[in-house]
Amino acid sequence: MPGTLEALQSLATIPEVEAGLTRAREACTQLRWHNALRRRTAQAAAESRVRGARAGAALEGAEVSVDVVRELVMGMTEWPPEPDPLERVLRASVQGTLESEHVRSIILSSPAQALARLHVAAGSQLLSADEVGRPRSPGETCEELVEAGPACDPLDLPGRLAGLYEVVACHEKVPALVVGAIAHAEIAVMRPFARGNGVVARAFERALVQSCGLDPTGVAVPEVGYLREASAGYAGALAAYASGTRDGVALWLQFSAGALERGAAEGGAIADAVLTGRLR
């Protein structure tokens, strides 16, 4: 633990990282005090999850309109009884993002349980029942996020997951965005599951930044921030993190700070729509 804590604290003091953390924190603070969130936080947070799910699905290659996702989440449209592969990815993103709201109360004290619950929610659309909610076993591979390099060997997953939980345990002494961004990257790079890792990684970060108090209203949409740089940024930044170098990890932290800053701006747009009655 001391080594993990010291490493995270050191990363947070890199000038470029520190500047990004400050901008993201200020953007989240501005969002927190938006007039619409005095009385209608729940409505704005629900819309954030809709937009987050839509952006997360797009990062996985399933492009649909936000109106379609909203109607599915609200039950105005039924999910197809026999979904095609893209529809399965969309539903995985929706269910994983929605579950982030439920695990935020346990993620700091029981991160392993939160991780399993997020994968049950997302992975149930992509894998058989005996493959969800547990790390890959020897012989099980993962073909997701190949741009970030090879997935962790299943035999190495226990140690890598223990490291992830150590990162979460540092939340009281390390900026929330650093904890959330490192946790996101760790899940995406090690890929503990056969499928659904990207959805789980983003949902885990969403729950963390809310639970740590950086985005207590849950209205920011970091997934939108990641999507807006997805052409090269998201995969490239994960690959930089996977290199294990200090510069590579710093690049990922800067990228994540920018994503949350943009996500807070998206949350502000949601709050504006709530305030003016433009959001159904």
Side-chain angles (χ1 to χ4, degrees), residues 119 126-127 131 134-137 140-144 191-197:
H119 191 248
L126 305 169
L127 297 165
E131 294 177 291
R134 63 161 180 82
R136 288 180 287 118
S137 299
E140 293 179 332
T141 60
C142 176
E143 302 302 324
E144 297 177 325
R191 278 153 273 169
F193 309 111
R195 291 193 65 187
N197 294 283

Side-chain angles (χ1 to χ4, degrees), residues 32 104-105 107-109 167-181 183 204-217:
R32 183 187 311 180
R104 59 182 286 182
S105 63
I107 196 167
L108 297 180
S109 59
V167 169
V168 176
C170 295
H171 69 273
E172 293 183 342
K173 298 181 179 179
V174 176
L177 196 151
V178 172
V179 174
F204 199 87
E205 180 184 25
R206 170 182 272 267
L208 272 177
V209 297
Q210 293 174 17
S211 298
C212 291
L214 182 56
D215 176 33
T217 63

Side-chain angles (χ1 to χ4, degrees), residues 44-212:
E47 177 66 11
S48 169
R49 292 188 290 275
V50 166
R51 298 190 189 189
R54 183 262 164 193
L59 283 167
E60 302 290 326
E63 286 272 5
V64 296
S65 75
V66 70
D67 291 332
V68 168
V69 178
R70 188 183 300 113
E71 290 176 1
L72 287 166
V73 170
M74 294 175 65
M76 298 169 62
T77 302
E78 295 291 330
W79 289 97
E82 297 183 9
D84 62 30
L86 288 183
E87 289 165 341
R88 289 183 183 277
V89 169
L90 173 60
R91 192 163 188 178
S93 184
V94 167
Q95 294 191 177
T97 307
L98 294 180
E99 184 64 16
S100 69
E101 171 69 9
H102 302 297
V103 304
R104 59 182 286 182
S105 63
I106 65 167
I107 196 167
L108 297 180
S109 59
S110 302
Q113 182 181 352
L115 185 69
R117 283 180 52 174
L118 288 170
H119 191 248
V120 168
S124 62
Q125 302 305 311
L126 305 169
L127 297 165
S128 61
D130 65 339
E131 294 177 291
V132 299
R134 63 161 180 82
R136 288 180 287 118
S137 299
E140 293 179 332
T141 60
C142 176
E143 302 302 324
E144 297 177 325
L145 297 168
V146 293
E147 301 89 344
C152 186
D153 188 292
L155 294 175
D156 297 328
L157 284 174
R160 196 71 179 260
L161 287 167
L164 168 66
Y165 306 145
E166 284 192 3
V167 169
V168 176
C170 295
H171 69 273
E172 293 183 342
K173 298 181 179 179
V174 176
L177 196 151
V178 172
V179 174
I182 294 294
H184 176 160
E186 275 295 300
I187 296 167
V189 168
M190 77 169 106
R191 278 153 273 169
F193 309 111
R195 291 193 65 187
N197 294 283
V199 173
V200 170
R202 292 184 291 273
F204 199 87
E205 180 184 25
R206 170 182 272 267
L208 272 177
V209 297
Q210 293 174 17
S211 298
C212 291

